[in-house]
Amino acid sequence: MDKTIDRTATANPGDVELTRKAAEDHVELVADRLRKMMPECGFGELGTCCVMCYMGPCRIDPFGQGTRAGVCGATPDVIVARNFLRSATGGASSHAGHARELAILLLEIAEGRAPGYRIREEGKLLSLAEKLGVPVDGRPVDAVAADVARKAFEDFGRQDGEPMNWIRARASRMEYEKWEKLGLLVSNPHNEIETAMHRTSMGNDADPLNLWVATLRMGMVDNFAGLMMATDLADVIFGIPTPKVVTANYSVLKEGEVNIACHGHNPILASKVAEWADRLEGEAKAAGAGRVNVVGICCIGNELVMRYGIPYAGHEAQTELFLVTGAIDAMVVDMQCILPSLPAIAKCYKTRFITTVPFVRHPEAIHVDFRPEAADERAQEIVRHAIAAYKERKAAGIRPRIPDVSSRLLTGISVESLVSVLSTVDAKDPLKPVIDAIAAGDILGAVGMVGCPNPKLRDGAMSEKMAEGLLRNNVLIVTTGCVNHILAQGGFLTSDATEKYAGPRLKKVLTAIGQAAGLGGPLPPVLHMGSCVDNSRIYDLLAALAGKLGVEVSQLPVAGSAPEFITEKAISIGSFFLAAGILVHLAPAPRVFGSPFAVSLLTEKLPGLNGGKVLVAATPDAAVSGILAHLREKRQALGLPQA
Ligand code: CUV
Ligand code: SF4
């Protein structure tokens, strides 16, 4: 292990402490492997490496050195467009899979085949049903639920070319018409995914523009067959998030308790593990532990904290470090963002690493075949694994080291809960105070900070510094995904943060709302709206604001930022926000710079077409000033004062 390099620059002292412990314990971390990988491949970074067929691999220097096209004749513009579309397809597939599992669960609940689950939000089910054209009057809830699930399956099987049910039901008229004009009304997510894979394989689509339109369409798949469907159905089954104040960071792990870390994405598994953790407290006590303590990592942490207030552990770049604490008895995962390095590290500390999904396995993991029909049995099995591990680990003399770092955060901001908070200010027209504040310039604009924690940018505290810069300039921030773990650990989701970071005009607005809502302090300047799939909540909020103003979403002074993105899911989410006509800031740089066509499309042509635009900026200062310039431009176009 290379000990000469200082890996201690991140803002979280817990990360520093555990990184040292990892070195002492001879555990290799993401940051170590990243360093060994340097320099990363320049062709890959530019997007001009192609492995689509076996005449290659081909790599093309965009600066005119060497060959100008792949063996097949594909130009850098074609290669970049194909590669990018495949990334967006990977992301959209993940989100569509997530949503489809929830649709299956809803049908199972309706038909009595998933006794461990129930419908918690009848009101949301009925309003969703009405939007989908499912009759509700006088019908039993289960019958309505079954039909709502069937509407989802209809989308996944549709061959008539008509727009998805979920788009027709959930897009506003104005946004729908915009997408209709642009040819972005997708019909069947699976067909779109199939066609994307087909057209990008060797010897098919060689028109860069056609390929980029397919990427925007993949963004539509991501939002409507993924994010929005998943959020709608998860709220129906697991509840609409409500505001609550909870604890985050390493200190959520408890010595003397059985610690279970849930990691992954879909609440189907983790909600059950959390339930059985409570119900098996007696067995934990018999094993000499206080209780079973469930904490949430990554996006499942977001799902669990938003709805149930379950302790909010940390983000993806900390998953290895959480194991290095030696305090976790079982890490239970479902899907997405599970580093393949984890099971070996778990072994070092006799932590049981449990996979649960048939297509997310690891040779060194324990596999529990989790299915909704047998959810209660399987969840008990998982919790008992953790209790057994607790005894074993105690006997083996494993000494945990839990960094004494903790922070508080306000979480649980759904559109519904935000509206109810704001209705304390204006009961008749809850969104009016926000719109007035934006119009007056007290809120300059809003930015959705979303996505992952990238070790390439973590040492520079990219997300924290960007948040600081935006807040000082009176920009309101909403967050989802792992960025929210970062910002929570940095103390940005508290009333104190409003005092500390918000510009004077933003502070005034947030203080007034906090007072009216009886929060005992200002509303935090960063609002936690959930997991990656909950980006649909951000979009719903924007659509509601735009609707009230009578403008398109693309005209609002807002932007999206994935300041440290890692996954293909961030690419597909970003593609949706581009389709919606919103500025998307990305760091690290997306792999498009090998294609002059792509650069001009994403930074010059698309803005003129629908407002969508990509901003690439890898330093906080450049990102903040680029975003501020954009917000000011949008304000000017609407005739709003510059503040
Ligand atoms: Ni979906 S995608 S790392 S933000 S969960 Fe965290 Fe969460 Fe993964 Fe990125
Ligand atoms: Fe090379 Fe063309 Fe094959 Fe890609 S598809 S590997 S560019 S020959």
Side-chain angles (χ1 to χ4, degrees):
M1 157 152 304
D2 180 1
K3 282 190 193 155
T4 57
I5 295 151
D6 179 30
R7 295 178 301 186
T8 55
T10 58
N12 186 334
D15 292 351
V16 178
E17 184 180 340
L18 290 169
T19 300
R20 285 210 195 95
K21 180 170 190 290
E24 286 159 25
D25 296 352
H26 304 286
V27 169
E28 194 183 55
L29 301 173
V30 161
D32 301 311
R33 290 185 296 270
L34 176 62
R35 198 166 306 108
K36 289 180 189 162
M37 194 62 68
M38 291 298 172
E40 289 181 319
C41 171
F43 294 95
E45 281 182 337
L46 294 167
T48 53
C49 166
C50 184
V51 294
M52 283 341 166
C53 89
Y54 277 72
M55 295 194 287
C58 300
R59 46 185 219 173
I60 297 166
D61 182 332
F63 306 110
Q65 309 283 316
T67 49
R68 309 296 289 273
V71 175
C72 68
T75 61
D77 287 335
V78 171
I79 292 173
V80 164
R82 290 196 304 207
N83 286 341
F84 200 88
L85 174 54
R86 283 214 168 176
S87 300
T89 305
S93 303
S94 306
H95 287 144
H98 180 148
R100 194 168 50 85
E101 277 191 5
L102 287 162
I104 293 170
L105 176 59
L106 185 62
L107 186 65
E108 288 177 333
I109 295 171
E111 294 180 348
R113 290 184 285 120
Y117 301 87
R118 65 195 167 85
I119 289 164
R120 292 194 201 216
E121 300 280 359
E122 277 185 30
K124 185 143 187 171
L125 173 71
L126 297 182
S127 81
L128 182 61
E130 273 173 347
K131 289 178 194 148
L132 287 162
V134 169
V136 298
D137 282 341
R139 301 182 70 204
V141 172
D142 282 346
V144 175
D147 280 353
V148 166
R150 286 189 195 103
K151 285 283 181 189
F153 300 145
E154 200 173 280
D155 279 343
F156 286 105
R158 179 179 289 288
Q159 301 300 334
D160 59 9
E162 291 298 312
M164 282 182 65
N165 293 329
W166 238 264
I167 299 183
R168 283 183 281 180
R170 296 284 273 101
S172 71
R173 179 63 20 214
M174 205 183 263
E175 301 298 305
Y176 186 96
E177 281 166 8
K178 168 178 76 187
W179 287 320
E180 190 166 36
K181 269 192 233 124
L182 293 168
L184 299 182
L185 291 177
V186 292
S187 177
N188 171 332
H190 283 171
N191 287 3
E192 211 66 35
I193 289 165
E194 176 199 283
T195 308
M197 293 307 285
H198 183 174
R199 76 199 302 161
T200 50
S201 63
M202 200 277 263
N204 289 292
D205 208 346
D207 179 347
L209 180 60
N210 212 30
L211 286 160
W212 279 102
V213 171
T215 292
L216 295 180
R217 288 173 63 90
M218 200 51 70
M220 296 288 285
V221 169
D222 191 82
N223 187 60
F224 288 101
L227 315 181
M228 201 166 260
M229 189 186 282
T231 304
D232 287 345
L233 300 180
D235 278 0
V236 166
I237 300 168
F238 300 104
I240 299 171
T242 51
K244 43 188 84 65
V245 175
V246 299
T247 307
N249 218 333
Y250 291 105
S251 69
V252 299
L253 297 175
K254 298 293 174 211
E255 219 174 324
E257 296 184 4
V258 176
N259 288 302
I260 300 181
C262 290
H263 174 19
H265 280 81
N266 205 322
I268 297 175
L269 166 74
S271 61
K272 271 288 151 187
V273 172
E275 181 188 326
W276 279 98
D278 285 341
R279 291 170 74 174
L280 294 181
E281 189 177 314
E283 291 184 26
K285 288 217 152 78
R291 59 189 274 276
V292 185
N293 178 42
V294 173
V295 304
I297 290 186
C298 243
C299 267
I300 199 60
N302 289 313
E303 297 277 346
L304 292 174
V305 81
M306 288 277 288
R307 295 196 173 89
Y308 313 129
I310 285 174
Y312 192 56
H315 54 71
E316 195 208 30
Q318 295 171 323
T319 45
E320 295 175 327
L321 295 176
F322 267 92
L323 290 170
V324 169
T325 62
I328 296 179
D329 299 294
M331 182 174 275
V332 191
V333 305
D334 55 6
M335 62 205 191
Q336 303 166 18
C337 303
I338 321 294
L339 301 178
S341 64
L342 297 178
I345 300 176
K347 268 213 171 115
C348 298
Y349 302 97
K350 294 193 183 300
T351 299
R352 296 199 186 182
F353 192 90
I354 303 171
T355 55
T356 57
V357 169
F359 62 88
V360 185
R361 297 196 56 164
H362 193 293
E364 290 183 69
I366 298 166
H367 189 73
V368 173
D369 176 27
F370 187 88
R371 280 171 287 116
E373 312 87 75
D376 287 308
E377 293 86 329
R378 297 293 190 270
Q380 287 176 66
E381 197 184 318
I382 288 166
V383 175
R384 291 200 172 105
H385 265 298
I387 295 171
Y390 178 87
K391 281 196 277 192
E392 241 171 62
R393 287 158 34 78
K394 212 154 188 199
I398 291 184
R399 299 239 314 272
R401 187 183 316 158
I402 303 170
D404 186 18
V405 283
S406 91
S407 45
R408 305 285 283 167
L409 70 147
L410 175 73
T411 180
I413 310 295
S414 51
V415 176
E416 291 88 340
S417 68
L418 184 64
V419 164
S420 93
V421 167
L422 291 173
S423 64
T424 58
V425 183
D426 186 334
K428 277 202 220 82
D429 197 353
L431 291 181
K432 189 166 177 292
V434 175
I435 287 175
D436 289 349
I438 293 173
D442 290 337
I443 298 177
L444 184 74
V447 172
M449 288 184 65
V450 309
C452 326
N454 195 315
K456 293 181 183 177
L457 294 145
R458 204 70 301 274
D459 282 352
M462 177 77 180
S463 298
E464 296 91 321
K465 287 184 182 157
M466 259 188 77
E468 266 188 59
L470 292 169
L471 295 176
R472 291 245 179 276
N473 285 283
N474 301 301
V475 175
L476 182 70
I477 296 175
V478 294
T479 65
T480 59
C482 276
V483 166
N484 190 67
H485 282 283
I486 297 174
L487 295 177
Q489 292 174 7
F492 285 90
L493 284 87
T494 59
S495 296
D496 289 349
T498 303
E499 303 289 353
K500 192 165 165 196
Y501 299 114
R505 301 185 69 170
L506 179 63
K507 193 184 293 180
K508 189 184 75 181
V509 178
L510 297 173
T511 304
I513 295 174
Q515 252 163 21
L519 297 179
L523 189 67
V526 177
L527 299 176
H528 182 208
M529 297 198 73
S531 64
C532 291
V533 296
D534 291 329
N535 282 314
S536 63
R537 298 190 204 275
I538 295 182
Y539 181 72
D540 274 337
L541 182 60
L542 295 181
L545 289 171
K548 275 202 67 71
L549 284 165
V551 300
E552 274 188 15
V553 167
S554 65
Q555 291 173 273
L556 296 172
V558 300
S561 168
E564 304 186 27
F565 85 95
I566 299 174
T567 66
E568 291 178 322
K569 291 177 287 173
I571 298 278
S572 54
I573 295 170
S575 300
F576 170 68
F577 279 87
L578 288 179
I582 292 170
L583 177 97
V584 177
H585 162 247
L586 291 173
R591 294 171 188 146
V592 300
F593 282 92
S595 163
F597 180 92
V599 172
S600 129
L601 178 75
L602 297 174
T603 61
E604 290 157 22
K605 297 212 178 75
L606 193 60
L609 200 65
N610 81 332
K613 186 177 179 177
V614 172
L615 168 69
V616 179
T619 66
D621 287 347
V624 169
S625 62
I627 289 171
L628 289 177
H630 175 80
L631 300 179
R632 294 205 170 101
E633 218 174 275
K634 291 287 167 185
R635 296 186 66 86
Q636 185 162 16
L638 286 171
L640 299 176
Q642 285 306 337

